[in-house]
């Protein structure tokens, strides 16, 4: 998930030759639906997603892994550092072509996540980060994950926490989201699909991001969204905001288990690790 505003002008220039950093040339177009690396103004969202891959990748060591909904592919490639095999599936044809060209260690396929193109009991881990909130039939997808997992395999899911992401709303703020979940709803979704031992974690801002929040009116997230909206009118990024966003690292986020001193309902993102029966 990226900042909420789809197809915001000035986020990726129409003329790539105007971009100083050559890394931009290797990325997919920023649409608002997925995050991408190597772009300063997208760096907060990229690091917020990357930290979950980094923290959970050790659970994939030596295992056969499916990433269901791989997007740009950086996460599948990170997991390939430790897994014995990584298969990635995405619905978007451009994303699949991009992953195939940029990340040769990843075996990538185009498919609908409601009908995963894998045999029963064929992988040890399914990774699904920042995707389930985009799906119309979440129960069907989770059932598919259970089908392709071997007994005692792991399903690892991350998703925006509905309570903090779309506070006080019945429908998501992000136009790309179909249904957002809180911790209880995500747990129930997994239990209903025959998963057990659901461990829930929350992602929070660490001390340095808390300082950035204070510098930008209480929320660096809201400041970025306001700036994305202002880009429609050609407004430049304020230098302090641009510098802070570009400076965010994965160390600026805390991943904390439910019951470990922070209220899970206050988290930014939810991360569930569930065991297939």
């Amino acid at each position: 998930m990226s900042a909420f505003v789809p197809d915001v002008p000035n986020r990726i220039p129409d003329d790539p030759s105007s971009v100083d950093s050559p890394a931009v040339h290797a990325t997919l177009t920023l649409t608002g639906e997925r995050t991408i690396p190597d772009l300063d103004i997208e760096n907060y969202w990229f690091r917020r997603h990357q930290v979950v891959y980094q923290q959970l990748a050790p659970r994939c060591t030596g295992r056969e892994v499916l990433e269901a909904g791989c997007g740009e592919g950086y996460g599948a490639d990170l997991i390939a550092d430790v897994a014995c095999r990584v298969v990635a599936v995405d619905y978007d044809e451009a994303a699949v072509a991009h992953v195939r060209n940029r990340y040769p260690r990843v075996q990538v396929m185009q498919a609908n996540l409601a009908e995963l193109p894998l045999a029963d009991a064929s992988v040890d881990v399914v990774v699904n980060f920042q995707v389930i909130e985009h799906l119309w039939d979440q129960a069907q997808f989770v059932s598919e994950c259970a089908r392709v997992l071997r007994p005692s395999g792991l399903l690892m899911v991350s998703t925006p926490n509905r309570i903090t992401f779309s506070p006080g709303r019945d429908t998501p703020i992000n136009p790309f989201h179909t249904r957002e979940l809180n911790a209880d709803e995500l747990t129930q979704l997994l239990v209903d699909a025959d998963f057990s031992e659901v461990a829930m974690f929350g992602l929070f801002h660490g001390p340095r991001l808390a300082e950035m929040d204070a510098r930008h009116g209480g929320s660096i997230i809201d400041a970025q969204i306001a700036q994305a909206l202002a880009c429609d009118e050609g407004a430049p990024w304020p230098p302090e905001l641009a510098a802070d966003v570009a400076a965010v690292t994965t160390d600026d986020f805390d991943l904390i288990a439910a019951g470990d001193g922070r209220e899970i309902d206050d988290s930014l993102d939810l991360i569930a690790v569930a065991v297939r029966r």
Side-chain angles (χ1 to χ4, degrees):
M1 200 278 317
S2 177
F4 311 164
V5 183
D7 301 318
V8 177
N10 300 331
R11 303 202 69 183
I12 296 275
D14 292 331
D15 177 10
S17 65
S18 67
V19 181
D20 291 332
S21 171
V24 175
H25 297 272
T27 63
L28 289 168
T29 300
L30 185 62
T31 66
E33 187 173 11
R34 61 180 167 237
T35 191
I36 59 176
D38 307 322
L39 189 61
D40 282 352
I41 60 172
E42 183 69 5
N43 184 59
Y44 168 87
W45 298 101
F46 172 64
R47 301 302 180 189
R48 177 165 157 177
H49 296 177
Q50 185 187 35
V51 66
V52 179
Y53 285 100
Q54 290 180 343
Q55 293 286 324
L56 296 189
R59 298 173 187 257
C60 300
T61 301
R63 295 184 169 187
E64 293 187 279
V65 179
L66 164 68
E67 181 166 24
C70 63
E72 195 274 344
Y74 65 88
D77 188 63
L78 186 155
I79 291 169
D81 286 338
V82 298
C84 69
R85 176 176 176 241
V86 178
V87 178
V89 173
D90 202 275
Y91 187 73
D92 183 69
E93 183 178 0
V96 170
H98 175 84
V99 174
R100 186 171 290 125
N101 290 330
R102 186 168 185 179
Y103 303 112
R105 298 187 297 176
V106 177
Q107 178 186 341
V108 63
M109 296 180 284
Q110 183 182 11
N112 191 324
L113 299 191
E115 298 178 354
L116 293 171
L118 278 75
D120 295 357
S122 57
V123 295
D124 303 303
V125 181
V126 175
V127 172
N128 180 249
F129 291 163
Q130 302 296 323
V131 173
I132 198 166
E133 65 276 5
H134 297 273
L135 304 181
W136 289 103
D137 195 339
Q138 295 172 344
Q140 168 64 19
F141 165 68
V142 175
S143 294
E144 276 289 277
C145 293
R147 178 185 66 78
V148 303
L149 278 167
R150 297 177 178 125
S152 300
L154 297 181
L155 172 60
M156 303 195 295
V157 179
S158 78
T159 190
N161 177 12
R162 176 174 62 80
I163 294 173
T164 58
F165 203 79
S166 298
R169 291 174 58 100
D170 294 328
T171 57
I173 292 175
N174 189 317
F176 291 112
H177 293 182
T178 59
R179 181 195 177 206
E180 295 170 354
L181 303 161
N182 63 28
D184 290 341
E185 292 163 345
L186 178 56
T187 299
Q188 192 61 53
L189 183 68
L190 298 173
V191 169
D192 288 347
D194 210 28
F195 286 93
S196 64
E197 303 175 39
V198 179
M200 191 66 62
F201 303 82
L203 190 73
F204 298 85
H205 281 179
R208 202 166 75 104
L209 270 168
E211 293 174 1
M212 292 183 189
D213 282 332
R215 280 201 294 275
H216 299 287
S219 172
I220 193 171
I221 299 171
D222 290 346
Q224 291 176 84
I225 294 167
Q227 185 57 43
L229 292 169
C231 279
D232 279 332
E233 300 173 2
W237 278 65
E240 186 178 40
L241 177 61
D244 277 349
V245 168
V248 173
T249 74
T250 55
D251 291 336
D252 294 323
F253 296 91
D254 294 332
L255 187 65
I256 299 176
D260 248 9
R262 299 288 296 269
E263 176 56 54
I264 197 74
D265 286 348
D266 294 335
S267 65
L268 300 166
D269 296 324
L270 302 168
I271 299 93
V273 179
V275 179
R276 186 186 182 312
R277 294 184 192 275

